[in-house]
Amino acid sequence: LQAVQANGVTYTIVASPTDGVWSDTVITAAITPASTSNTIFVCWRTGIHVVDSVGVMGFALRTKRAISGGATTDSASAVSPYGSGNTHSVFLMTTSTGGDFMTMATASGLDAPSASTEVTYTVGASPYGSPSTFEIGGMYSARWSMVLMEIDGT
């Protein structure tokens, strides 16, 4: 029925990254479904940069859904690569000296927000091992993107 795309080269620097603490990132987009029975296909891609001097580090990413005038779901399970438990469900690095790592992450899925008001999706990030640098978005020539597509539910 409709498609929305957001993208950019900006990024979020997670200040003082702490195990299990979630931070919203710049990766976000909003769509207003025509009917509460419609579903939203959500797909996002982002760059991630982590530096760790200790040697054990990881992170998790999730997709938060906020309905205008309604509820906020911290982890829209159909779209989030993060399930539950340790916050290294997306990436874990173990070395004796630490390291500097850059990667891309992506997630997609069908969400059923049961809403006909604006629905905003935002990628959240949480570290494991408290890395010294934790950046998410479009750094070092990377570009983040999020695509939302409304699908008729009738």
Side-chain angles (χ1 to χ4, degrees):
L1 297 175
Q2 64 174 312
V4 173
Q5 180 178 5
N7 61 63
V9 294
T10 57
Y11 59 96
T12 300
I13 298 172
V14 179
S16 303
T18 305
D19 284 3
V21 175
W22 290 91
S23 298
D24 287 346
T25 69
V26 296
I27 301 116
T28 189
I31 192 168
T32 303
S35 169
T36 59
S37 64
N38 294 347
T39 57
I40 308 297
F41 174 74
V42 181
C43 181
W44 54 260
R45 176 185 51 101
T46 185
I48 299 148
H49 177 224
V50 288
V51 178
D52 176 52
S53 59
V54 177
V56 177
M57 186 281 309
F59 60 85
L61 303 170
R62 69 182 184 186
T63 306
K64 182 169 84 172
R65 176 185 67 211
I67 299 171
S68 178
T72 296
T73 303
D74 285 333
S75 187
S77 62
V79 188
S80 293
Y82 175 73
S84 63
N86 292 329
T87 54
H88 56 70
S89 64
V90 174
F91 174 80
L92 176 66
M93 176 178 69
T94 303
T95 68
S96 60
T97 58
D100 186 334
F101 191 76
M102 174 81 180
T103 188
M104 296 295 286
T106 186
S108 62
L110 283 175
D111 186 45
S114 299
S116 59
T117 58
E118 185 177 74
V119 181
T120 302
Y121 295 92
T122 304
V123 175
S126 179
Y128 174 80
S130 300
S132 58
T133 300
F134 189 28
E135 302 168 327
I136 297 96
M139 59 286 184
Y140 303 107
S141 301
R143 176 175 293 277
W144 64 264
S145 67
M146 182 179 283
V147 175
L148 308 174
M149 292 187 287
E150 182 181 10
I151 299 167
D152 189 343
T154 58

